[in-house]
Amino acid sequence: MTLCEQWLSSAYYKDGRTNQVLWKDYLPKEQKIYEDIIGNKKTSVKGTVKELAEQYNMPASYIVGFVDGINETQDPQIDIEKLEEDSEIALKIDFTALYKKMVEYKADHLYSLPQWDNIFTAEEREVLYKEQKRSTTVVNEGPKIGRNDPCPCGSGKKYKKCCGANK
């Protein structure tokens, strides 16, 4: 069984539900990694899966889970399915992308860490937070056309008898 399979099978049940016991153990350990990265302003994290697991005092499969969580901020992304204990990992830390991703995932335990004070001012964090929230908000373009309103094409017909007839 690969490390990725170990991670997925321990984090999620076959029916898709999350294993709350595992997450209760994992989340504080993940938070310690982020406290280290953000608190020490690390712009990169490098090492083998095994070395990182030892450094952060967690199973190797948890490192795969961590990489899975931070992977969307990586370019190129890491193929977590191929990770083994001796696989080299080189993460580039983009604090802006990381903060926004934490907001997107609603990981308030991570985007509210006090270590962020060393990276961004409160005002900068508020701007990043609002930018991220706005990026996932759907905005309707223009006013809604009612069925009985004049058609915007200028034909003089009602919308329902003209351009809206096939909708």
Side-chain angles (χ1 to χ4, degrees):
M1 182 181 281
T2 68
L3 287 174
C4 183
E5 290 169 336
Q6 286 176 26
W7 166 250
L8 293 174
S9 67
S10 61
Y12 304 98
Y13 295 116
K14 289 182 181 180
D15 63 4
R17 292 178 303 122
T18 58
N19 179 347
Q20 293 301 319
V21 173
L22 175 123
W23 287 99
K24 191 175 182 178
D25 183 50
Y26 170 77
L27 289 175
K29 292 177 180 184
E30 175 194 46
Q31 183 172 324
K32 293 284 184 200
I33 297 174
Y34 283 117
E35 287 171 352
D36 176 50
I37 291 170
I38 300 163
N40 293 308
K41 296 183 181 180
K42 292 183 176 180
T43 56
S44 67
V45 175
K46 296 178 183 178
T48 65
V49 171
K50 184 177 181 178
E51 290 168 347
L52 294 173
E54 289 171 358
Q55 178 182 347
Y56 292 110
N57 194 28
M58 61 175 56
S61 64
Y62 281 25
I63 294 297
V64 173
F66 171 75
V67 172
D68 187 24
I70 199 171
N71 214 5
E72 287 187 41
T73 67
Q74 300 302 297
D75 187 27
Q77 291 189 1
I78 296 167
D79 186 352
I80 64 167
E81 292 179 9
K82 293 183 179 177
L83 290 179
E84 298 175 0
E85 285 196 359
D86 61 345
S87 298
E88 285 285 335
I89 294 176
L91 301 171
K92 293 179 184 170
I93 308 301
D94 175 343
F95 291 112
T96 300
L98 185 60
Y99 187 84
K100 286 183 171 185
K101 200 50 76 173
M102 290 174 176
V103 171
E104 179 184 340
Y105 289 153
K106 299 178 181 162
D108 58 335
H109 67 288
L110 297 177
Y111 69 75
S112 63
L113 289 171
Q115 287 80 1
W116 283 111
D117 293 343
N118 297 326
I119 306 292
F120 301 118
T121 65
E123 293 80 18
E124 289 170 327
R125 286 196 311 274
E126 185 175 341
V127 167
L128 292 173
Y129 182 89
K130 287 179 179 177
E131 281 177 8
Q132 179 56 43
K133 288 295 187 181
R134 244 183 270 118
S135 74
T136 58
T137 302
V138 176
V139 178
N140 291 330
E141 298 292 325
K144 183 175 178 172
I145 302 166
R147 290 177 28 95
N148 290 316
D149 290 342
C151 191
C153 76
S155 68
K157 297 180 183 179
K158 288 185 179 184
Y159 180 69
K160 68 181 178 187
K161 295 282 187 182
C162 191
C163 294
N166 296 326
K167 295 191 180 207

